[in-house]
Amino acid sequence: MVSHQPPQAQDEWFKPIAKDTEKAETVVRPSLSYWKDAWRRLRQNKLAMSGLFFLVLLTLFAIFAPILSPHDITTTQYAKQNLPPSSEHWFGTDEKGWDVFTRTWYGARVSLFVGVAAALIDFFIGIIYGGVSGYKGGRTDSVMMRIIEVLYGLPHLLVVILLMVIMGSSLTTIIVALTITGWVGMARIVRGQVLQIKNYEFVTASKSFGARTPRIIRRNLLPNTMGPIIVQMTLTVPSAIFAEAFLSFLGLGISAPFASWGVMANDALPVILSGHWWRLFFPAFFISMTMFAFNVLGDGMQDALDPKLRR
Amino acid sequence: MAIYIVKRFFMMIATILIIATLTFFLMHSIPGSPFDDERTSNPTIQANLEKYYKLDQPTHIQYLNYLKAIVTFDFGPSIKKPNESVNTQLARGFPISLELGLVTILVAVLSGITLGTFAALRHNGIVDYGAMAFAVIGISVPNFVLATLLIQQLAVNLQWLPPATWSSPKHMILPTLALATGPTAIIARLTRSSMLEVLTQDYMKMARAKGLSPFRIVFRHALRNALMPVVTIMGTMLAGILTGTFVIERIFAIPGMGKYFVESINNRDYPVIMGSTVFYSAFLVFMLFLVDIVYGFLDPRIKLHRKEGDA
């Protein structure tokens, strides 16, 4: 058996190294703010980044493609009815002789506008309602929450359909109808967040320094609830786009020539069996891709902004 | 528990009442009468028609009549098909829609849970990636797009299955497939994520340490706990499936409730719209109520959570 003799401890091993009082406190690495950290994590998520890339591209096309397109989509051109995709009409033409490529980008404008507008309005109503409810607490909160619980039970699409029937179909009515029912989810999330955060120490600290309610809400509560709110917004956009397409498909969409993707798909339904596949394929493809992009981006943002809630 | 059920019950009644009231006053805010077309321009005929549909009475009386109609479940005659009552249409269409809905939810729950469980058990394996790819696609592709693709490929090109109607089990495959894919994807994702969480818990280690069979561990110990979130979303999922039947029935020419509803929207047939909206909403709200009760029984902690008040 070999016994290991430990080396004799020597005094110089335990001498303190020279302290550098000047540099000890310097920050070596750049400090990462919450948003920078989230962005760093999001960038590692390839799927979410490709979703983001697709959406940026889609937005650019939606803005510029209709302007640059040489095709007229306001007057009927019988000579060019239902042409398959070619070098002149990349996505083919429809039964009015309109270029499907050009119409697709007008559709992108409508769909993106509806989605983003619905998400923004939900956001404003949601943070005000949810913020007040969560911050005030007590009786106010329970009354406001009862209202939300009842509204939450409403079948949203049915209410939207009803509103569309009554108000007539236009871009504004779609957005109004979608937000009348849509803000509830956002308000619930904001309230839950505010309820949790308002008891944190930094809010108490803020209060003890004499900060008033508006300042606390603006400086302490809102910035810290932003993560889940942004995730919710990213997921609101595709559901609004889907709802718009769904309504258009039921015949409650906006009218020609500036059709949305849902309207284009609906118009294509009767002719799909006669082999004009491009009429349905392109709007359907872009609806699906946009929903896909927003969904993966939303998932990625959720992981990036809210690591605790990672699913 | 009893108090909770009673509370939920009254909330359900309140929700239904709100929907009914909303529907009524929205419908009455439309200017003009439903008989303003040229066929009935004769004032006497119009007066008689209004009398027949009880539209000549003051609004509050009409409202009371309407509430009575809801309680007694008698929505009166349809305007566009005067010899048919709204009840007849509901009785003819609803069983078919219910059948479609039930088959869909059954397929979605079974295949979604299976897919999600296997994905979680083979975390980061091929099965997992495959299942999640399917899930993201299933969530992104709108059901009406899927439906038309299925008809075109499986029914028209390959001639495997009948493209439309609802007369035999074979006819049910395509509509169910189109309607169930979205919910299946959502359930699969949810099951997977909550299963992954459950699998890391200490009691799973305990179960393995006790030497239980893998089958028993997965089904008795893991899945039972992992299915809680799935139960929570059943209510909203039902709403989605129900509204989804509107377009699916339209595409596949299934004579269900959705077909009548869409028809009544396009015809502006107000009694039918009102009747079916209230009926559908009441059905949905009742389902939400049931889901909540079931959830309360399955997970006794729910009441505690409610008291804490976080969303």
Side-chain angles (χ1 to χ4, degrees):
Chain A
M1 228 186 171
V2 187
S3 68
H4 289 284
Q5 201 68 38
Q8 211 63 112
Q10 288 161 337
D11 277 350
E12 64 250 39
W13 289 6
F14 297 100
K15 271 187 193 156
I17 57 162
K19 261 188 199 158
D20 190 344
T21 44
E22 301 255 315
K23 283 183 188 163
E25 303 278 305
T26 44
V27 180
V28 184
R29 288 176 221 296
S31 78
L32 275 181
S33 72
Y34 172 64
W35 296 106
K36 277 186 199 149
D37 189 37
W39 172 239
R40 187 179 59 83
R41 249 171 304 182
L42 185 66
R43 237 178 6 200
Q44 285 165 355
N45 187 335
K46 289 202 188 76
L47 203 56
M49 285 314 280
S50 52
L52 185 65
F53 180 71
F54 175 83
L55 290 174
V56 170
L57 215 62
L58 187 76
T59 313
L60 289 178
F61 265 90
I63 295 170
F64 295 112
I67 305 170
L68 299 176
S69 165
H71 300 290
D72 174 23
I73 61 156
T74 47
T75 50
T76 314
Q77 290 160 330
Y78 290 107
K80 292 180 170 176
Q81 269 179 323
N82 287 324
L83 295 175
S86 63
S87 57
E88 205 204 333
H89 298 284
W90 292 351
F91 292 178
T93 61
D94 62 12
E95 84 259 355
K96 294 203 173 86
W98 292 339
D99 183 47
V100 175
F101 182 79
T102 314
R103 290 194 90 204
T104 300
W105 302 117
Y106 276 111
R109 284 184 177 184
V110 175
S111 291
L112 286 176
F113 182 72
V114 168
V116 172
L120 279 179
I121 297 173
D122 278 1
F123 167 75
F124 282 114
I125 304 177
I127 57 169
I128 291 170
Y129 193 99
V132 168
S133 178
Y135 191 74
K136 286 267 179 192
R139 257 193 117 69
T140 323
D141 180 42
S142 48
V143 170
M144 285 175 97
M145 273 305 112
R146 283 300 91 75
I147 296 173
I148 286 229
E149 269 171 53
V150 171
L151 286 179
Y152 201 72
L154 292 178
H156 291 181
L157 265 175
L158 269 181
V159 177
V160 172
I161 290 173
L162 205 62
L163 287 170
M164 299 284 299
V165 170
I166 286 146
M167 297 190 294
S169 23
S170 75
L171 208 54
T172 331
T173 50
I174 288 186
I175 294 170
V176 169
L178 285 178
T179 44
I180 281 180
T181 54
W183 62 273
V184 178
M186 181 63 93
R188 271 167 72 126
I189 286 176
V190 176
R191 172 189 171 263
Q193 286 286 311
V194 169
L195 215 57
Q196 201 181 8
I197 291 170
K198 75 170 178 183
N199 293 325
Y200 281 178
E201 285 82 357
F202 64 86
V203 179
T204 321
S206 213
K207 270 186 197 152
S208 68
F209 279 125
R212 295 212 186 98
T213 308
R215 190 186 156 84
I216 290 176
I217 290 177
R218 238 189 10 255
R219 302 280 307 167
N220 299 137
L221 297 182
L222 281 185
N224 286 295
T225 52
M226 263 339 213
I229 291 176
I230 287 179
V231 172
Q232 171 74 8
M233 279 176 79
T234 339
L235 297 173
T236 305
V237 178
S239 65
I241 290 177
F242 172 78
E244 188 276 327
F246 181 89
L247 291 170
S248 304
F249 201 75
L250 285 180
L252 287 168
I254 63 164
S255 45
F258 303 119
S260 70
W261 290 333
V263 174
M264 289 170 76
N266 186 27
D267 290 347
L269 195 56
V271 298
I272 185 71
L273 297 182
S274 45
H276 303 150
W277 56 269
W278 59 90
R279 295 275 313 274
L280 179 71
F281 175 79
F282 290 106
F285 174 78
F286 281 101
I287 295 173
S288 308
M289 278 304 286
T290 309
M291 302 257 301
F292 178 80
F294 270 111
N295 278 325
V296 290
L297 182 63
D299 284 355
M301 298 255 256
Q302 180 146 43
D303 287 349
L305 288 170
D306 208 348
K308 274 178 294 180
L309 271 180
R310 182 166 288 182
R311 289 197 288 177
Chain B
M1 194 67 204
I3 298 170
Y4 175 66
I5 295 179
V6 171
K7 231 174 87 185
R8 268 305 272 107
F9 181 79
F10 279 109
M11 209 125 90
M12 173 178 85
I13 301 293
T15 312
I16 295 175
L17 197 68
I18 286 176
I19 298 169
T21 311
L22 204 75
T23 318
F24 179 83
F25 285 104
L26 282 175
M27 284 296 168
H28 275 259
S29 65
I30 307 169
S33 113
F35 314 110
D36 277 346
D37 54 358
E38 66 277 12
R39 268 192 307 127
T40 50
S41 55
N42 186 327
T44 331
I45 296 176
Q46 253 200 43
N48 276 334
L49 273 173
E50 285 187 359
K51 199 165 181 180
Y52 178 60
Y53 290 104
K54 293 182 182 158
L55 293 175
D56 53 343
Q57 289 161 347
T59 311
H60 66 275
I61 302 282
Q62 283 189 44
Y63 179 62
L64 288 180
N65 280 340
Y66 169 70
L67 287 186
K68 211 177 95 193
I70 293 171
V71 175
T72 55
F73 206 79
D74 176 16
F75 297 109
S78 152
I79 287 181
K80 297 288 154 157
K81 296 175 183 164
N83 41 9
E84 226 178 66
S85 76
V86 180
N87 281 21
T88 326
Q89 292 197 6
L90 280 174
R92 188 150 17 108
F94 186 65
I96 299 176
S97 296
L98 191 68
E99 198 180 7
L100 172 62
L102 284 181
V103 175
T104 301
I105 202 131
L106 204 70
V107 170
V109 167
L110 287 182
S111 47
I113 289 175
T114 317
L115 214 59
T117 309
F118 276 110
L121 292 177
R122 299 270 176 280
H123 187 40
N124 287 335
I126 295 172
V127 181
D128 189 17
Y129 287 131
M132 284 309 103
F134 165 79
V136 178
I137 293 168
I139 290 169
S140 305
V141 179
N143 48 23
F144 54 87
V145 170
L146 194 65
T148 26
L149 284 178
L150 285 174
I151 293 183
Q152 213 207 352
Q153 292 308 320
L154 296 184
V156 177
N157 284 0
L158 296 171
Q159 308 240 326
W160 284 354
L161 293 161
T165 72
W166 188 255
S167 40
S168 75
K170 221 176 161 186
H171 287 81
M172 291 161 70
I173 298 175
L174 286 187
T176 310
L177 218 58
L179 196 53
T181 304
T184 306
I186 296 173
I187 293 179
R189 259 166 63 123
L190 213 61
T191 310
R192 173 181 173 269
S193 60
S194 77
M195 192 74 176
L196 282 177
E197 210 183 294
V198 167
L199 286 175
T200 62
Q201 301 285 323
D202 287 340
Y203 59 78
M204 292 310 295
K205 251 180 235 157
M206 178 67 191
R208 249 171 274 143
K210 281 201 301 187
L212 297 180
S213 73
F215 185 83
R216 207 179 152 84
I217 292 176
V218 169
F219 283 92
R220 253 196 94 92
H221 296 261
L223 204 54
R224 261 189 161 189
N225 292 295
L227 285 185
M228 276 305 167
V230 178
V231 179
T232 336
I233 59 149
M234 282 313 273
T236 29
M237 181 152 283
L238 268 170
I241 290 178
L242 218 60
T243 34
T245 56
F246 292 175
V247 281
I248 295 299
E249 285 174 9
R250 186 169 163 238
I251 297 172
F252 288 96
I254 297 167
M257 199 48 236
K259 190 177 148 268
Y260 289 112
F261 189 61
V262 176
E263 249 175 44
S264 70
I265 290 170
N266 291 330
N267 293 335
R268 303 292 189 265
D269 192 340
Y270 297 127
V272 180
I273 298 180
M274 278 159 74
S276 23
T277 308
V278 172
F279 178 73
Y280 253 38
S281 313
F283 178 74
L284 263 180
V285 173
F286 181 65
M287 281 301 169
L288 275 178
F289 170 70
L290 281 188
V291 167
D292 267 16
I293 302 293
V294 169
Y295 195 68
F297 274 113
L298 288 179
D299 188 1
R301 287 171 300 181
I302 179 107
K303 278 186 289 176
L304 256 151
H305 281 299
R306 286 276 156 113
K307 261 181 204 153
E308 274 167 24
D310 50 17

